Amino acid sequence: GLVLLAAGLSGRLALAAGLPILTGYLLIGMVIGPSVLQFLDAQAIEDLRLIDKFALAFIGLLAGGELKWQRLKVVGTTIAATTLLVTLVVAAGIAGLVFVIKPLLPLAGLGVAGLVGMAVLLGIWAANSSPDLTVAVIEEVGAAGRLTDVILGVTIVKDIVVIVLFSGCLAVLGSLLGPGESSASQVFWEMGWGVGGALVIGAALGWVFSSFLTGPWKPDSPIGTFLFGFVMVVLAETLHLELLLLAASAGFLIENLSPAGDRLIRDIRSLGVVVFAFFFTVAGASLNLGVVGSLWVPALLFFLARTGLTLVGAKLGATIAGAAENVRLHTGKGLISQGGVTLGLLLLVEPLPGVGPPIVAFGMTVVLANILVGPVVLRSALTGERSDA
């Protein structure tokens, strides 16, 4: 109750100030969370994780449902080229930056091989964007068009690419820093299963649920979609699958291979106000603001470099693909946000001996900046597209 009431008030204030409504959710979450007023302590946030996962399942369904195949075919080349260029440009640029600002980073004690591995790992991690924040802003603005299709497509495809690359790099780095630890060598397999299994099983679940929505027993309320979300949460937890990708795969199949696609989107939007308010308020409360004080200088440099590299990579990719001018100019603005998946990848670094915990603290400071700035920039780009349309 506290979360929803606080989110409702902060959302209205954010809109009045010309900001995305989810920025208000994030800010009020930080205020009522453990770092400031402590209305929600760490235990309360942990207790709310199940509802948090429900929200992520619905966001994934909505993301997949927004990926309409007929429209994606038109911009497929742009999505592929932009994904490739952004990933390469950001990963290479950030890896180089790590060497430049090494004295400011908590990397003491790493040898040459370890430093190279950490630089590459942080570069790959920085290339990730946030499907959850992107979907939330698209829904708020009501944007629909080629630019929206490209931004959402690149965000989700790049999410998969980064997860795979990150897992492989982490496995190698773990072996370098902690030889003989079997957990590091298992990371690649676990993440491969988490991604590949999620896509395959999600598609199968989508086919089953589409039969339910179009059958003679189809419900008149969103309760069926709510229960479907519960099934996905349980399966993802039990089988160690990436929940967001599981749900996005199911939503994509339902939207494109079933007449139930519009019904699915309508059901989720009827729950959307509560879903987004809860998810992003709790996400804001989960951020540790205490790490900002000692690491804000390198984090700011990291944030500025990542933003610039993302804009450059996106423009190069869209230009090579021959995209329209508004796509070339504005796609990069939709790739700045980072969110739940980015934080999840970051936490995998924590077990690395010697450097894990301080790197996690540094990364959380960078994510905080991207969470606050990314949605504002994306909203300005999509609002412009909506006005042009």
Side-chain angles (χ1 to χ4, degrees):
L2 170 66
V3 169
L4 294 178
L5 288 171
L9 174 62
S10 64
R12 288 178 179 272
L13 292 175
L15 286 177
L19 297 172
I21 192 170
L22 65 90
T23 300
Y25 298 156
L26 290 164
L27 289 173
I28 197 63
M30 295 176 196
V31 172
I32 66 176
S35 296
V36 185
L37 297 181
Q38 300 183 6
F39 288 149
L40 288 180
D41 59 19
Q43 184 59 50
I45 293 173
E46 189 62 32
D47 293 340
L48 294 171
R49 286 301 181 194
L50 176 60
I51 307 176
D52 197 38
K53 290 177 182 178
F54 264 104
L56 195 60
F58 294 141
I59 289 170
L61 280 173
L62 197 55
E66 294 287 357
L67 294 173
K68 297 174 175 59
W69 177 247
Q70 292 302 319
R71 284 163 35 190
L72 287 178
K73 287 193 298 184
V74 178
V75 295
T77 302
T78 304
I79 291 173
T82 305
T83 298
L84 177 63
L85 265 295
V86 171
T87 304
L88 289 176
V89 169
V90 174
I94 291 298
L97 177 68
V98 169
F99 284 94
V100 173
I101 64 172
K102 176 190 171 185
L104 300 176
L105 296 174
L107 298 175
L110 286 182
V112 175
L115 182 60
V116 171
M118 182 58 73
V120 173
L121 186 71
L122 288 174
I124 294 170
W125 173 78
N128 183 251
S129 301
S130 171
D132 41 0
L133 288 167
T134 302
V135 170
V137 175
I138 289 173
E139 286 298 304
E140 178 188 335
V141 175
R146 190 162 295 185
L147 175 61
T148 303
D149 293 340
V150 170
I151 289 174
L152 187 57
V154 171
T155 299
I156 292 179
V157 174
K158 188 157 58 65
D159 200 46
I160 298 172
V161 171
V162 168
I163 288 174
V164 173
L165 292 177
F166 184 90
S167 63
C169 184
L170 182 62
V172 173
L173 183 59
S175 299
L176 289 173
L177 298 182
E181 293 187 11
S182 59
S183 59
S185 63
Q186 294 171 357
V187 170
F188 184 78
W189 160 252
E190 291 173 355
M191 293 300 290
W193 163 249
V195 173
L199 294 175
V200 173
I201 295 175
L205 288 174
W207 178 80
V208 171
F209 188 59
S210 65
S211 301
F212 172 76
L213 287 177
T214 56
W217 49 79
K218 57 185 177 184
D220 295 326
S221 71
I223 185 65
T225 302
F226 182 81
L227 293 175
F228 183 50
F230 176 74
V231 170
M232 288 191 294
V233 170
V234 171
L235 283 178
E237 190 77 17
T238 303
L239 301 178
H240 306 290
L241 302 171
E242 288 289 332
L243 176 58
L244 189 69
L245 296 181
L246 177 79
S249 178
F252 179 80
L253 185 137
I254 294 171
E255 171 61 37
N256 293 282
L257 298 180
S258 166
D262 291 340
R263 167 68 187 280
L264 173 72
I265 299 298
R266 189 168 63 250
D267 283 355
I268 297 176
R269 282 176 174 162
S270 69
L271 301 168
V273 175
V274 175
V275 167
F276 290 139
F278 190 90
F279 179 79
F280 290 109
T281 303
V282 173
S286 302
L287 293 172
N288 182 3
L289 303 183
V291 303
V292 176
S294 60
L295 296 169
W296 72 268
V297 173
L300 178 61
L301 295 174
F302 200 97
F303 163 74
L304 293 174
R306 177 185 177 273
T307 299
L309 290 166
T310 299
L311 295 174
V312 169
K315 188 171 184 179
L316 283 175
T319 301
I320 290 172
E325 183 179 4
N326 72 315
V327 175
R328 296 198 305 269
L329 292 177
H330 300 301
T331 296
K333 298 177 181 178
L335 307 175
I336 296 172
S337 299
Q338 289 186 310
V341 175
T342 312
L343 288 170
L345 293 175
L346 184 64
L347 292 176
L348 294 176
V349 179
E350 194 165 21
L352 292 179
V355 296
I359 285 296
V360 170
F362 166 74
M364 288 187 68
T365 309
V366 177
V367 170
L368 176 61
N370 291 321
I371 280 178
L372 294 177
V373 175
V376 178
V377 177
L378 172 57
R379 187 173 187 263
S380 68
L382 294 181
T383 301
E385 182 191 36
R386 184 182 62 177
S387 300
D388 294 342

